Amino acid sequence: MSKAKSIDTITKAIHNGFKKAHNQYYKYSGSWLFLAPEYFSTVHIYQELASKIDNELIRLEVKPSDLLEESGKVGSGKVSKRISNGRIDLVLDYATGTRENPKPRGLIEVKKQVYSIDKIIGDLNRFDLIFKRISNHDIQHSIQFGMCCYSVDYTVSKTRDKFQGSISKLKSDLKLWAKDKKYLSVDLNCQQKVEENGNSWSSVVIVIKRTA
């Protein structure tokens, strides 16, 4: 049986997905990725993940309520609407699952042009509520991590220092957000490409892992 791919491998695939989306959109439209809809990046990330994993399954637009049922017991009490509303952009399933009985391992949300934690706080809080529910009910759950990833473009007027400043602030805000959440850990990985004309584009992956 194939081994589940590491978080590092998944993170690199997401960065490569953003890169390919950026290059293709620029090639055929003459515009940068921030002008494309989010799903354009989502599809490229999906394809890049598919090329890096073996027997693990990847799904698009999955209901959170379905994920809770598939990954283990939901636990007692009503599921918060902050968990159940909407859909998760990408779900990575364990190879031990099947199409009829999937076992979700990781949840991935894709965004664009994120300059502060405010634009992703809803996704972060949903991951938090899912992991907290698992921890509080001592549930044997297959979900191990959540990722919130995004691309962001800066024109030459918004220098590289602008990006570094936003990343520094995001790290500080994430640390504060996770301060009392003993059942999870947070990490941030980013890549930046500066073009000859001074414009830059970047991809950022925030990884939230269960610790309990």
Side-chain angles (χ1 to χ4, degrees):
M1 183 178 296
S2 60
K3 185 178 179 181
K5 293 301 181 183
S6 68
I7 294 292
D8 185 55
T9 297
I10 296 167
T11 299
K12 288 179 179 177
I14 291 173
H15 284 305
N16 287 336
F18 276 125
K19 180 179 179 180
K20 290 181 178 180
H22 173 88
N23 291 342
Q24 187 177 59
Y25 196 71
Y26 183 75
K27 179 179 179 179
Y28 292 111
S29 74
S31 300
W32 278 32
L33 190 56
F34 76 93
L35 290 173
E38 286 176 0
Y39 69 78
F40 186 79
S41 294
T42 301
V43 170
H44 279 79
I45 291 170
Y46 181 98
Q47 292 172 334
E48 191 66 18
L49 285 169
S51 72
K52 295 296 186 291
I53 65 174
D54 297 318
N55 295 324
E56 295 171 86
L57 302 177
I58 315 171
R59 292 179 285 163
L60 289 163
E61 298 290 333
V62 183
K63 293 181 180 179
S65 55
D66 291 343
L67 292 173
L68 288 174
E69 291 286 353
E70 294 164 355
S71 60
K73 295 180 180 178
V74 176
S76 60
K78 186 177 180 180
V79 177
S80 168
K81 287 185 178 180
R82 288 187 291 170
I83 294 178
S84 59
N85 285 347
R87 295 173 182 264
I88 304 294
D89 291 334
L90 288 158
V91 175
L92 181 63
D93 294 330
Y94 278 108
T96 52
T98 65
R99 285 175 172 81
E100 294 75 24
N101 185 29
K103 289 295 177 185
R105 176 191 175 207
L107 319 178
I108 303 172
E109 293 284 10
V110 182
K111 301 296 183 187
K112 69 173 185 176
Q113 293 303 97
V114 174
Y115 296 111
S116 72
I117 197 172
D118 296 339
K119 191 169 181 178
I120 56 175
I121 194 66
D123 294 323
L124 297 177
N125 286 340
R126 177 152 63 177
F127 291 154
D128 171 37
L129 288 169
I130 290 173
F131 292 163
K132 183 188 294 184
R133 189 177 183 88
I134 294 169
S135 176
N136 288 347
H137 292 284
D138 191 26
I139 303 170
Q140 294 299 313
H141 230 276
S142 66
I143 298 174
Q144 296 299 314
F145 67 87
M147 290 182 170
C148 187
C149 58
Y150 63 87
S151 63
V152 60
D153 299 337
Y154 287 96
T155 62
V156 67
S157 62
K158 295 182 177 180
T159 63
R160 194 180 324 188
D161 292 339
K162 185 79 173 179
F163 171 71
Q164 297 300 334
S166 69
I167 290 298
S168 178
K169 179 67 163 58
L170 180 58
K171 287 180 178 179
S172 177
D173 289 342
L174 285 171
K175 184 176 180 180
L176 184 63
W177 175 80
K179 182 179 179 181
D180 298 320
K181 300 174 174 58
K182 307 301 183 184
Y183 42 86
L184 58 79
S185 65
V186 181
D187 191 22
L188 183 148
N189 186 282
C190 58
Q191 293 185 2
Q192 184 181 38
K193 170 69 173 177
V194 180
E195 304 291 352
E196 290 182 0
N197 61 7
N199 294 334
S200 68
W201 61 271
S202 309
S203 55
V204 178
V205 181
I206 300 166
V207 182
I208 303 172
K209 292 190 289 187
R210 278 180 55 195
T211 57

